[in-house]
Amino acid sequence: TLTLRTQRHSTTLTKMAGADGDDSLYPIAVLIDELRNEDVQLRLNSIKKLSTIALALGVERTRTELLPFLTDTIYDEDEVLLALAEQLGNFTMLVGGPEYVHCLLPPLESLATVEETVVRDKAVESLRKISQEHSPVDLEVHFEPLVKRLASGDWFTSRTSACGLFSVCYPRVSSTVKAEIRQHFRTLCSDDTPMVRRAAASKLGEFAKVLELDYVKSDIISLFTALASDEQDSVRLLAVEACVSIATLLPQEDLETLVMPTLRQAAEDKSWRVRYMVADKFSELQKAVGPEITKNDLVPAFQNLLKDCEAEVRAAAANKVKEFCENLPEDNREQIIMTHILPCVKELVSDTNQHVKSALASVIMGLSTILGKDNTIEHLLPLFLAQLKDECPEVRLNIISNLDCVNEVIGIRQLSQSLLPAIVELAEDAKWRVRLAIIEYMPLLAGQLGVEFFDEKLNTLCMAWLIDHVYAIREAATCNLMKLVEKFGADWAQNTIVPKVLGMANDPNYLHRMTTLFCINALSDVCGRDITTKQMLPVVLKMSEDQVANVRFNVAKSLQKIGPVLEKITLQNQVKPVLDKLATDKDMDVKYFAHEALSGECLPYEYS
């Protein structure tokens, strides 16, 4: 319910919108009136049109009437407040430009204190945006006091919002104000409420980036150490994220003493969530601390994460194996991988958790380009083959989808003996989604295997998919044939694919006969006019006499689809008579699609 004061504001605004008797402002008066309507949807619609209202009222009235009214309505539904917070971030020019942008602060300050997190976050986002439009003087006079009020607010909601505003105003204020801002941030980092400490920890890295280096060492490091030792693991894990930013700011000689003790502690934290965050950010940490610390500290830490007792941590670390190995110093990269990383990787290949194995399978193939041909054949190939035979389909698929990088190193032939049984097994999996996934990789495999090897080993498999009992598989198999023809050419299609497809036209199962038509639709463009006219068209025309109506109306659709490929004389002499006959069919659907084809783009109107 709106207060009397709010109702007075709304009445005043409505009167102002129609003050000059200008009928063109009546819609604006309606929008303003809807701002206090009991219907939430009407209020939401009106909020989304605030810019229209502001333009009609003008900058002065917007500042003196609309904004006070909006400030008073901040006890509305969350979705209305969210829309309002977003709108106000784009209001600078509507209140008179940067000179008056501080007028937007009161409603946004109120929004930054509400209970709903998404509304507060959007208000902070808008405040950060308009902070850039304040002059340095206005920033100190208007914006910085707002930040202080939020930082010292009674409710944790305002203090969490303040954490996101320090970094945007710090670079442009005087040294005295900077000292006050640093003090406020220090206070929030040790706040009694965990939610506030979480917010401070999440913005620690961002705040560190705008501080002078001396203050990073004297202030930020102590805050980082404290937050990384917080009793709440949700705070500690956010401190890990800040570690990346802090490490990039410090000189190499300071990292060992200022950052590494805390990072080592985080990598062995009692909470798996903190260790997970270390694993997830490991590549970024590795780049930030440099090669020497990586070799001495991060390699043992990474080994421990790969062996962690929690599957989520092992999966996160496994996902970083390739990146970690790529970023190792080149002079002893191979030795570190073979001695320290590969033994852990071998254990993960047979991990009890499928998410760990799947994460490893998505990156392990990339190690072949790092280790070279000999090491790949001797050490990695047995691991690849073990994963191709893994009971988890996702693991097998992840290996198959990354085969191209192994092919570059050792060639596909050496994988083929174990690869093909795995592909056949996937292609015949009881779950149709697994079969569907392997079809999508078939063009990639075809390009790697070459046409001769493909014909010998996989052609039969591709044709078998065309008569799968699941429609989605038959549809994907049809698309697969088109991609294979694009890769191997029309001559290959004419000799290998087309005869088998056309042979299905006589299949007792009408669904398989329809698949013939679908294949012809897909292949006509890539095979070209000659093959379509001489081999495919006669089969389509013959199928117009099929006993099943579904087949006959699909004949009409196919003739419309392949029409643009055919010559006009063929359309006139062969296609038009068949479509005319289908247009008088006893089945309504057949007649409809025949008429569609006759009037379609593929057939000139004078033929219909």
Side-chain angles (χ1 to χ4, degrees):
T1 307
L2 297 174
T3 63
L4 289 173
R5 182 181 168 200
T6 302
Q7 289 177 359
R8 284 198 298 273
H9 269 305
S10 183
T11 306
T12 305
L13 283 167
T14 308
K15 287 178 179 177
M16 289 176 73
D20 302 323
D22 184 351
D23 289 341
S24 65
L25 286 179
Y26 177 72
I28 304 303
V30 172
L31 282 176
I32 293 169
D33 210 37
E34 285 179 355
L35 285 171
R36 58 184 177 136
N37 196 290
E38 288 184 6
D39 187 332
V40 174
Q41 193 57 47
L42 284 177
R43 296 203 302 277
L44 182 61
N45 290 341
S46 193
I47 286 287
K48 288 180 177 178
K49 294 172 183 173
L50 266 186
S51 57
T52 306
I53 297 174
L55 279 170
L57 291 175
V59 294
E60 189 175 342
R61 287 177 172 181
T62 297
R63 292 196 302 267
T64 57
E65 294 293 333
L66 181 58
L67 290 179
F69 165 71
L70 293 172
T71 306
D72 283 336
T73 63
I74 301 189
Y75 10 79
D76 208 327
E77 299 291 333
D78 291 334
E79 56 186 325
V80 177
L81 298 182
L82 179 63
L84 176 57
E86 184 174 10
Q87 289 284 317
L88 291 175
N90 302 308
F91 244 57
T92 303
M93 299 315 295
L94 298 172
V95 295
E99 185 182 350
Y100 296 99
V101 72
H102 59 85
C103 296
L104 296 172
L105 297 180
L108 283 171
E109 181 178 355
S110 297
L111 288 166
T113 65
V114 299
E115 190 174 346
E116 179 53 49
T117 305
V118 291
V119 177
R120 293 201 311 270
D121 289 347
K122 185 58 72 175
V124 170
E125 184 184 319
S126 291
L127 281 167
R128 288 168 66 96
K129 187 175 181 180
I130 67 171
S131 71
Q132 306 303 319
E133 292 161 345
H134 282 71
S135 67
V137 173
D138 283 344
L139 203 65
E140 287 200 21
V141 173
H142 300 289
F143 195 88
E144 198 268 338
L146 173 147
V147 177
K148 286 182 183 177
R149 287 193 298 275
L150 289 175
S152 54
D154 292 333
W155 292 94
F156 80 89
T157 51
S158 69
R159 302 199 298 277
T160 57
S161 293
C163 294
L165 299 174
F166 291 116
S167 62
V168 293
C169 60
Y170 186 88
R172 298 170 59 211
V173 294
S174 64
S175 55
T176 307
V177 177
K178 282 183 177 180
E180 293 175 6
I181 290 175
R182 291 196 302 273
Q183 181 55 49
H184 277 295
F185 191 79
R186 273 197 298 272
T187 303
L188 293 179
C189 284
S190 57
D191 195 276
D192 291 337
T193 311
M195 286 81 83
V196 178
R197 298 200 303 278
R198 269 207 300 273
S202 70
K203 297 299 179 183
L204 183 64
E206 179 186 288
F207 189 48
K209 287 179 181 177
V210 300
L211 259 63
E212 299 80 0
L213 182 58
D214 288 344
Y215 292 120
V216 172
K217 293 180 183 180
S218 62
D219 290 21
I220 294 296
I221 293 298
S222 59
L223 296 176
F224 166 60
T225 305
L227 290 168
S229 305
D230 195 276
E231 61 183 21
Q232 296 280 331
D233 64 354
S234 59
V235 177
R236 298 200 301 274
L237 66 87
L238 289 169
V240 171
E241 203 164 345
C243 183
V244 178
S245 300
I246 295 168
T248 57
L249 298 172
L250 293 171
Q252 193 69 30
E253 59 270 19
D254 291 329
L255 288 173
E256 182 59 48
T257 54
L258 299 180
V259 173
M260 289 313 298
T262 307
L263 183 55
R264 290 189 199 101
Q265 175 187 314
E268 298 173 358
D269 196 278
K270 61 184 177 183
S271 167
W272 71 266
R273 291 179 178 84
V274 179
R275 301 196 304 275
Y276 173 89
M277 183 60 80
V278 174
D280 190 53
K281 299 292 178 184
F282 215 85
S283 298
E284 296 167 56
L285 289 166
Q286 182 187 9
K287 290 175 185 175
V289 300
E292 202 57 38
I293 292 178
T294 292
K295 190 165 58 176
N296 297 333
D297 281 282
L298 294 195
V299 170
F302 193 59
Q303 284 179 285
N304 290 336
L305 292 170
L306 289 170
K307 296 176 181 179
D308 198 275
C309 60
E310 289 291 339
E312 286 87 350
V313 179
R314 295 199 302 278
N319 211 30
K320 299 294 177 182
V321 164
K322 180 190 171 187
E323 279 184 65
F324 180 76
C325 293
E326 278 178 336
N327 294 329
L328 287 168
E330 284 188 31
D331 55 346
N332 52 4
R333 178 191 293 163
E334 184 177 324
Q335 183 262 328
I336 292 173
I337 295 173
M338 299 302 294
T339 309
H340 301 288
I341 306 302
L342 197 58
C344 300
V345 168
K346 287 179 179 178
E347 290 180 25
L348 292 180
V349 166
S350 54
D351 197 277
T352 54
N353 186 283
Q354 70 178 54
H355 298 295
V356 176
K357 292 188 290 185
S358 181
L360 181 65
S362 67
V363 298
I364 191 174
M365 311 293 273
L367 292 180
S368 58
T369 54
I370 300 170
L371 291 176
K373 183 174 181 178
D374 293 340
N375 282 326
T376 297
I377 293 172
E378 184 179 350
H379 297 285
L380 295 180
L381 192 56
L383 303 181
F384 300 159
L385 300 183
Q387 288 174 305
L388 280 169
K389 297 174 184 177
D390 194 275
E391 61 184 14
C392 174
E394 192 176 345
V395 174
R396 303 196 298 263
L397 283 174
N398 280 345
I399 290 294
I400 288 172
S401 63
N402 288 288
L403 273 174
D404 49 338
C405 54
V406 180
N407 186 32
E408 292 171 13
V409 179
I410 65 169
I412 199 73
R413 289 279 174 178
Q414 291 190 289
L415 283 173
S416 61
Q417 289 185 347
S418 295
L419 169 68
L420 291 177
I423 291 175
V424 171
E425 190 178 338
L426 283 168
E428 296 170 349
D429 196 280
K431 296 174 182 173
W432 69 268
R433 292 183 191 279
V434 177
R435 301 199 299 278
L436 183 63
I438 194 63
I439 293 174
E440 292 171 0
Y441 293 123
M442 195 52 66
L444 170 68
L445 285 168
Q448 294 171 348
L449 292 166
V451 62
E452 291 180 15
F453 195 84
F454 181 84
D455 282 346
E456 181 187 343
K457 305 290 184 181
L458 296 177
N459 197 327
T460 306
L461 196 58
C462 290
M463 298 309 298
W465 280 323
L466 292 172
I467 55 173
D468 195 281
H469 65 277
V470 176
Y471 172 74
I473 300 295
R474 299 197 299 274
E475 184 181 39
T478 302
C479 185
N480 173 54
L481 285 187
M482 181 184 72
K483 291 176 181 175
L484 290 173
V485 175
E486 288 173 349
K487 199 170 284 290
F488 292 150
D491 290 341
W492 172 80
Q494 185 174 13
N495 297 324
T496 311
I497 294 295
V498 173
K500 294 178 181 177
V501 167
L502 298 182
M504 290 166 57
N506 300 315
D507 195 290
N509 188 327
Y510 85 96
L511 293 173
H512 298 168
R513 299 200 298 276
M514 282 170 58
T515 301
T516 298
L517 294 171
F518 299 150
C519 288
I520 289 171
N521 294 347
L523 295 175
S524 59
D525 281 336
V526 289
C527 286
R529 176 176 290 175
D530 193 51
I531 295 173
T532 302
T533 304
K534 292 180 180 177
Q535 291 183 257
M536 298 184 190
L537 180 61
V539 173
V540 178
L541 297 176
K542 184 180 177 183
M543 292 177 75
S544 67
E545 299 172 0
D546 198 282
Q547 296 300 307
V548 178
N550 284 33
V551 176
R552 295 200 302 278
F553 79 63
N554 272 290
V555 166
K557 290 168 76 173
S558 289
L559 290 173
Q560 183 175 12
K561 175 71 176 67
I562 69 175
V565 181
L566 305 173
E567 291 182 341
K568 287 186 177 181
I569 187 78
T570 306
L571 290 171
Q572 174 67 19
N573 296 340
Q574 297 183 51
V575 176
K576 172 77 164 50
V578 170
L579 286 174
D580 284 338
K581 183 179 178 183
L582 291 174
T584 60
D585 196 279
K586 60 185 177 181
D587 186 272
M588 293 297 293
D589 291 329
V590 177
K591 283 198 285 190
Y592 171 79
F593 285 109
H595 282 295
E596 282 285 299
L598 284 166
S599 60
E601 293 181 6
C602 70
L603 294 170
Y605 283 106
E606 62 266 23
Y607 293 168
S608 57

